[in-house]
């Protein structure tokens, strides 16, 4: 297929109340995802619909759809604009239908998105790009990111755990060892909504995810989390049809939460579960709390979401401690991911 004539097609911003247009964009994302990540389902349409139609304090989104001259949806992008912090940044999720790749549409969309990012007062684009663990030829995602001038900022690996093939005896041995080292701590668990008596401390821990986890070269400032932000996330997660399963560790002497981990699973797509955060405050490391909360949360997941078949987690390649915990639990590498970023101040225009 020949290269696109750039004068014939232009992205159009979606009216977020137009479910038909959102569905068209979703179908392009879904088709591309099936090619790029065949072992992992794309998030259900119900989640995109909630993201597009729910006002929130912490960030806002823009959705742009690209059609060809026959009005067929062929690409688009989602632009996320943080509102409480990182207001120089604009995470971008850009897609071209697999049947229309390598025709210039990606560069057209990126040029449009770059203009839009600057128009709303942001200076930096951040993109998450997947690639094979051991590519036999240059992967299209990194090749595109390089072509538009972005730089690798944070290398990660996605690992998956087969929840139907867990070695129960091995898991129990890990749990016994962790408990032996965690004297003075006890676990608390909940589903969906944090208890009022821990939510303020949970907000502090969630904020620390943006400072304590490895960021390498990613330009991402500390996030401020408070009770209102936690409750907003809980409301949006529930509206999407996701259940959030949480295990935290409480330091008995101080009565404070010092570690937590959470997993999400969609009621619309119950076979796939996703590891979100895991954090242990630095002053409380060395007690196997990371291992302990993750094992307890695995047990909670298997009770509360018995249809879940796989659990996926993403870790920075440099986060050797968390990688070691996950691999001990049975997670195995599936593919590489990378956060790429482009500072638009001084960048050459794409035209």
């Amino acid at each position: 297929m020949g290269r696109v004539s750039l004068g014939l097609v232009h992205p159009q911003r979606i009216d977020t109340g137009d479910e038909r247009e959102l569905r068209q964009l979703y179908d392009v994302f879904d088709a591309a995802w099936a090619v790029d990540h065949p072992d992992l389902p794309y998030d259900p349409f119900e989640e995109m619909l909630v993201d597009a139609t729910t006002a929130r304090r912490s960030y806002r989104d823009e959705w742009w759809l690209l059609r060809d001259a026959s009005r067929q949806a062929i690409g688009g992008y989602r632009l996320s604009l943080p509102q409480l912090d990182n207001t120089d940044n604009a995470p971008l999720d850009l897609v071209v239908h697999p049947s229309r790749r390598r025709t210039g549409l990606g560069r057209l969309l990126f040029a449009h998105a770059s203009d839009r990012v600057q128009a709303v007062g942001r200076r930096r684009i951040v993109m998450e790009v997947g690639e094979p663990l051991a590519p036999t030829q240059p992967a299209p995602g990194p090749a595109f990111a390089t072509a538009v001038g972005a730089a690798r900022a944070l290398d990660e690996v996605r690992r998956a755990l087969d929840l139907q093939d867990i070695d129960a005896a091995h898991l129990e041995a890990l749990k016994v060892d962790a408990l032996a080292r965690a004297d003075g701590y006890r676990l608390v668990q909940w589903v969906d909504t944090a208890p009022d008596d821990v939510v303020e401390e949970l907000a502090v821990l969630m904020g620390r995810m943006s400072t304590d986890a490895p960021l390498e070269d990613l330009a991402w400032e500390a996030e401020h989390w408070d009770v209102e932000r936690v409750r907003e996330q809980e409301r949006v997660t529930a509206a999407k049809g996701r259940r959030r399963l949480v295990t935290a560790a409480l330091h008995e002497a101080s009565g404070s939460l010092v570690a937590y981990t959470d997993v999400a699973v969609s009621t619309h797509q119950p076979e796939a579960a996703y590891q979100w955060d895991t954090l242990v405050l630095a002053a409380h490391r060395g007690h196997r709390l990371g291992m302990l909360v993750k094992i307890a949360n695995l047990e909670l997941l298997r009770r509360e979401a018995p249809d879940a078949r796989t659990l996926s987690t993403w870790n920075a390649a440099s986060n050797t401690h968390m990688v070691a915990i996950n691999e001990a639990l049975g997670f195995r590498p599936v593919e590489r991911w990378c956060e790429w970023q482009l500072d638009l101040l001084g960048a050459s225009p794409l035209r």
Side-chain angles (χ1 to χ4, degrees):
M1 183 178 294
R3 297 185 66 80
V4 68
S5 172
L6 302 188
L8 293 180
V9 290
H10 301 280
Q12 300 294 319
R13 187 169 178 178
I14 293 176
D15 176 350
T16 55
D18 190 332
E19 188 171 330
R20 181 183 61 86
E21 288 192 342
L22 281 169
R23 172 64 77 171
Q24 290 177 342
L25 179 60
Y26 175 86
D27 288 344
V28 178
F29 271 110
D30 188 41
W33 188 272
V35 171
D36 297 334
H37 314 285
D39 68 310
L40 190 67
Y42 190 58
D43 290 340
F45 175 68
E46 291 84 354
E47 297 195 10
M48 176 184 279
L49 187 59
V50 169
D51 276 335
T53 56
T54 304
R56 66 201 75 188
R57 166 176 166 257
S58 55
Y59 68 92
R60 66 181 180 85
D61 288 335
E62 293 185 3
W63 307 80
W64 293 80
L65 178 63
L66 182 66
R67 297 189 183 94
D68 62 16
S70 66
R71 305 295 291 169
Q72 179 72 32
I74 54 175
Y77 65 86
R78 172 186 183 174
L79 191 64
S80 296
L81 302 170
Q83 299 296 298
L84 302 179
D85 39 55
N86 290 286
T87 54
D88 281 340
N89 290 344
L92 173 66
D93 193 3
L94 184 150
V95 65
V96 173
H97 194 279
S99 67
R100 306 298 287 268
R101 288 176 173 176
R102 304 186 67 82
T103 62
L105 291 175
R107 293 177 71 88
L108 179 153
L109 284 164
F110 194 86
H112 187 276
S114 298
D115 288 344
R116 186 61 192 157
V117 167
Q118 293 178 89
V120 296
R122 306 293 168 112
R123 63 172 289 176
R124 188 179 299 107
I125 290 175
V126 179
M127 299 182 294
E128 190 173 48
V129 177
E131 57 187 284
L133 279 174
T136 56
Q137 56 186 0
F144 174 77
T146 300
V148 298
R152 299 181 79 99
L154 176 61
D155 284 300
E156 298 180 301
V157 174
R158 176 169 71 88
R159 289 174 170 81
L161 176 65
D162 184 346
L163 295 170
Q164 309 305 304
D165 192 33
I166 291 178
D167 184 334
H170 175 66
L171 203 65
E172 183 63 22
L174 292 173
K175 181 179 178 180
V176 169
D177 177 67
L179 284 169
R181 296 167 181 262
D183 188 46
Y185 299 88
R186 65 179 175 87
L187 299 182
V188 292
Q189 294 183 309
W190 63 87
V191 177
D192 298 333
T193 304
D196 289 337
D197 61 344
V198 301
V199 65
E200 189 170 355
E201 292 181 346
L202 176 65
V204 173
L205 295 180
M206 292 176 70
R208 292 290 290 270
M209 280 298 300
S210 62
T211 59
D212 291 17
L215 293 177
E216 298 176 7
D217 296 324
L218 185 64
W220 199 264
E221 67 188 26
E223 296 177 356
H224 172 69
W225 282 77
D226 54 18
V227 172
E228 183 180 354
R229 191 168 182 176
V230 173
R231 294 304 191 205
E232 177 183 79
Q233 187 205 57
E234 290 174 341
R235 289 192 300 271
V236 173
T237 299
K240 289 180 176 182
R242 281 192 181 264
R243 304 189 72 201
R244 182 187 180 209
L245 315 175
V246 187
T247 298
L250 186 142
H251 182 232
E252 292 181 311
S254 65
S256 299
L257 287 189
V258 298
Y260 83 106
T261 190
D262 57 350
V263 164
V265 60
S266 173
T267 56
H268 305 294
Q269 203 175 72
E271 71 281 1
Y274 298 89
Q275 176 70 57
W276 284 0
D277 297 342
T278 301
L279 179 87
V280 180
L281 291 179
H284 296 270
R285 292 173 187 167
H287 298 279
R288 292 287 197 274
L289 295 179
M291 178 69 78
L292 187 59
V293 296
K294 287 178 76 75
I295 292 174
N297 218 39
L298 268 178
E299 294 171 342
L300 180 63
L301 173 64
R302 297 176 81 184
R303 291 196 305 270
E304 294 288 332
D307 292 332
R309 296 292 180 266
T310 61
L311 175 60
S312 294
T313 186
W314 285 255
N315 298 111
S318 59
N319 193 353
T320 55
H321 180 69
M322 190 56 61
V323 167
I325 291 175
N326 286 332
E327 293 196 338
L329 291 171
F331 285 87
R332 295 295 176 257
V334 177
E335 63 180 340
R336 297 188 184 280
W337 287 65
C338 183
E339 299 281 357
W340 293 70
Q341 64 188 16
L342 174 63
D343 194 324
L344 295 174
L345 296 184
S348 300
L350 281 170
R351 293 293 184 271

